Amino acid sequence: MKSTTVRRVGLSIAVGTALVSVAACSSTGSSGGSGKDDKTVGKGTTRVSPIAALRSAEQSTDKADSAKVESSTVLGTLMSMDAKGNLGWSDGISGTLTMNYTGGSMADAMRAAGSTSMEARYLPDAYYAKMGEKFAAQAGGKHWIKYVYDDLAKLGGSSGAYLKDQMQNSTPNQSVKLLLASGDVKKVGTESVRGQQTTHYSGTVNVADLATKNSNLTASQLAGLKKQLTSAGVSTERVDIWINAQDLLVKKVEKGEMSSGEYSQTAYYSDYGVKVEATVPPASDTEDFMTLLKKQGVTPGSADTATGSGTSS
């Protein structure tokens, strides 16, 4: 494989996989339901409705500020990935995740670049992706790639702008908001999840409609995003969440269909309030992603960069 090809494959991976890893730990969000039917009054008692219970869980999870996360993501034939680490959300997303690619064309590309495992460090303004030694040998000896969130909008058009918006706003409680916004919430029952007694809630959401209602994008960006989601075959997805006695999110599962096959995202949350550390890698061992693109003669937003940003959709 030519060195330029190796670099380009690695750069696309660095964009796509780090974005997908955060998507696997959180969700597209919303401001929640209408507030009606928060309580159902029975004979002499007050029964908390699913909407009221989810509102309480959304607030409790948001206030927790950090958690240990274990997630798995499958995007059709594109990739299968596991991620593990600590994430915080008191001031934007921060933390460190280790991602292992277990299948699909993304894992094959990662293997060609020297490793199927990658470390990602998230800071409020950028994330840093650590590639393997083989990649570093083709990238001037530097192991880390810095990706500034503001540059994301330049990659992949409307989906890039949407991903930038989500990267800056996605937190675990967004999964609860997503379910609240569905308008189709039901209590499934009580279940044990990793030794904790939890309440299971489920619902179905319209992906394109949520993207329209719950982001800060312009009308033209939203129209472009909806077109891309439709082209990818994404229409609806099922969301299931499990809440413990402390009103904290313990598990979430999102499933749907896209043109490349079934996608699913599962995440487990524990140790709320855990200490989160994410340090900036040495500048001497880091290259800015946009700088690398320019060195290769690749124009941001072109077909060469669309693959990198599009893997999260």
Side-chain angles (χ1 to χ4, degrees):
M1 182 179 291
K2 295 181 179 179
S3 61
T4 299
T5 301
V6 172
R7 289 196 301 270
R8 188 160 300 177
V9 168
L11 293 174
S12 295
I13 291 170
V15 175
T17 56
L19 296 176
V20 171
S21 69
V22 167
C25 300
S26 53
S27 312
T28 51
S30 79
S31 58
S34 64
K36 297 180 180 179
D37 299 324
D38 277 358
K39 292 183 179 180
T40 302
V41 180
K43 295 181 179 180
T45 62
T46 299
R47 178 171 59 86
V48 178
S49 73
I51 294 296
L54 290 179
R55 285 188 183 283
S56 179
E58 186 274 321
Q59 294 172 5
S60 296
T61 301
D62 182 44
K63 292 177 181 178
D65 287 344
S66 66
K68 183 173 293 184
V69 180
E70 295 179 49
S71 70
S72 61
T73 303
V74 177
L75 293 177
T77 58
L78 177 63
M79 70 166 215
S80 298
M81 178 191 73
D82 296 326
K84 186 175 183 180
N86 297 342
L87 286 180
W89 51 90
S90 61
D91 182 23
I93 295 294
S94 63
T96 301
L97 290 178
T98 298
M99 295 170 284
N100 294 297
Y101 297 85
T102 58
S105 57
M106 186 69 79
D108 293 337
M110 285 287 291
R111 194 172 295 108
S115 176
T116 56
S117 178
M118 187 176 76
E119 178 183 341
R121 297 181 185 177
Y122 299 90
L123 286 92
D125 63 337
Y127 78 76
Y128 296 79
K130 186 177 184 180
M131 308 302 289
E133 292 294 335
K134 186 175 180 180
F135 174 84
Q138 301 290 342
K142 296 184 178 181
H143 298 81
W144 291 90
I145 300 173
K146 178 182 180 180
Y147 191 91
V148 178
Y149 299 142
D150 284 342
D151 291 335
L152 179 58
K154 302 174 185 178
L155 305 173
S158 298
S159 64
Y162 181 63
L163 288 172
K164 173 183 180 293
D165 178 61
Q166 292 304 307
M167 283 292 288
Q168 294 179 319
N169 296 292
S170 289
T171 58
N173 70 312
Q174 298 296 337
S175 296
V176 186
K177 290 183 178 182
L178 183 64
L179 192 53
L180 278 167
S182 70
D184 178 35
V185 183
K186 65 179 180 180
K187 178 180 175 180
V188 179
T190 57
E191 301 173 16
S192 178
V193 177
R194 294 189 169 184
Q196 294 189 64
Q197 192 68 13
T198 68
T199 302
H200 179 189
Y201 298 93
S202 181
T204 301
V205 302
N206 184 308
V207 177
D209 185 47
L210 282 176
T212 300
K213 294 191 297 184
N214 305 300
S215 72
N216 297 314
L217 305 184
T218 65
S220 61
Q221 289 173 332
L222 288 169
L225 174 64
K226 188 170 184 178
K227 181 178 180 181
Q228 290 176 348
L229 287 171
T230 302
S231 297
V234 179
S235 57
T236 61
E237 72 175 20
R238 175 173 170 170
V239 180
D240 289 84
I241 62 173
W242 289 257
I243 306 297
N244 68 10
Q246 289 73 45
D247 290 331
L248 293 171
L249 180 64
V250 174
K251 176 185 176 182
K252 72 102 176 183
V253 176
E254 297 177 23
K255 293 184 178 181
E257 294 284 341
M258 52 195 304
S259 56
S260 62
E262 181 178 301
Y263 73 86
S264 65
Q265 298 175 339
T266 299
Y268 292 91
Y269 304 91
S270 63
D271 299 296
Y272 279 94
V274 67
K275 184 177 181 180
V276 174
E277 295 181 339
T279 58
V280 177
S284 60
D285 198 25
T286 305
E287 184 86 82
D288 182 80
F289 179 77
M290 298 299 283
T291 300
L292 288 175
L293 287 184
K294 292 177 182 178
K295 287 181 178 180
Q296 295 179 50
V298 178
T299 303
S302 67
D304 291 309
T305 57
T307 300
S309 64
T311 54
S312 291
S313 59

